Amino acid sequence: MTTTSRPYAADPASATVRGSHRSAPAMVAPVLAFVATVVAANVLTAVFGLVPVGFGLTATAGTAAAGVTLLARDWVHDVAGGPAVLVCIAAGALLSAGLAGPRLALASATAFAVSELADLAVYQPLRRRGLVRAVLASNAVGAPLDTIVFLTLAGLPVWAALPGQLWVKALTTAIPVAVVWTARAVLRHRLRPGGS
């Protein structure tokens, strides 16, 4: 298993995979991003409920933050491993219980835990073959599971909100992945002999 000092190395073959040992400072940013986006998703949903997201669809107000949370979860996996993800889920739930209410906190923690199991099955095996493929595949599985479990336990209309939730989560996943993919392509081109 190869380790690197960056969570997403330019060379996928040298990228860190789950369970690698990292220094505590390297774990701070992904852990804070994960917990903060969990709490933001729950607080926004508690305050604003369902909101229009275009194309006649609705989603919970925290859906965009929840989409970013799925990316942050993968980042935590890379730098700290699966147990750290579970600690982040618990921390996010505790903070959310105080800020957004116990029902949303329980729904969120359960949904993230269920999607985490799917992530373990999908992201980990694919991570060695590249970040973009692993993130897209794990989120394609994790996002619907997370959404259905969350909406059901939170007492929100599942089938009315599901299409909008999936649309926003797909968008909040695709944009950062496209940025990373583009940056890597540019970096590879510049590092290649004869590149400009």
Side-chain angles (χ1 to χ4, degrees):
M1 184 178 312
T2 305
T3 59
T4 181
S5 61
R6 300 182 311 275
Y8 299 131
D11 176 10
S14 69
T16 302
V17 291
R18 201 174 292 197
S20 295
H21 297 291
R22 294 278 186 146
S23 66
M27 294 183 207
V28 171
V31 165
L32 287 178
F34 188 17
V35 173
T37 54
V38 167
V39 174
N42 291 326
V43 169
L44 288 169
T45 297
V47 172
F48 299 106
L50 293 173
V51 296
V53 293
F55 307 106
L57 302 174
T58 59
T60 59
T63 302
V68 175
T69 300
L70 296 175
L71 294 172
R73 178 193 61 197
D74 291 341
W75 190 13
V76 172
H77 269 290
D78 277 355
V79 299
V85 172
L86 297 177
V87 170
C88 289
I89 291 170
L94 288 174
L95 290 169
S96 294
L99 297 170
R103 184 171 188 170
L104 283 179
L106 176 63
S108 172
T110 305
F112 279 122
V114 168
S115 70
E116 171 61 11
L117 295 176
D119 188 69
L120 284 171
V122 178
Y123 181 82
Q124 185 173 6
L126 290 177
R127 181 61 182 97
R128 295 178 191 275
R129 301 170 80 189
L131 171 68
V132 173
R133 179 181 295 149
V135 166
L136 291 177
S138 70
N139 286 353
V141 173
L145 280 173
D146 170 79
T147 299
I148 291 169
V149 171
F150 175 76
L151 292 172
T152 300
L153 294 179
L156 296 166
V158 175
W159 303 114
L162 183 63
Q165 299 271 115
L166 294 179
W167 155 246
V168 173
K169 284 182 182 179
L171 194 60
T172 57
T173 298
I175 291 171
V177 167
V179 169
V180 169
W181 183 83
T182 302
R184 285 181 167 187
V186 169
L187 183 60
R188 276 194 303 267
H189 176 73
R190 288 189 177 176
L191 293 177
R192 192 177 314 145
S196 55

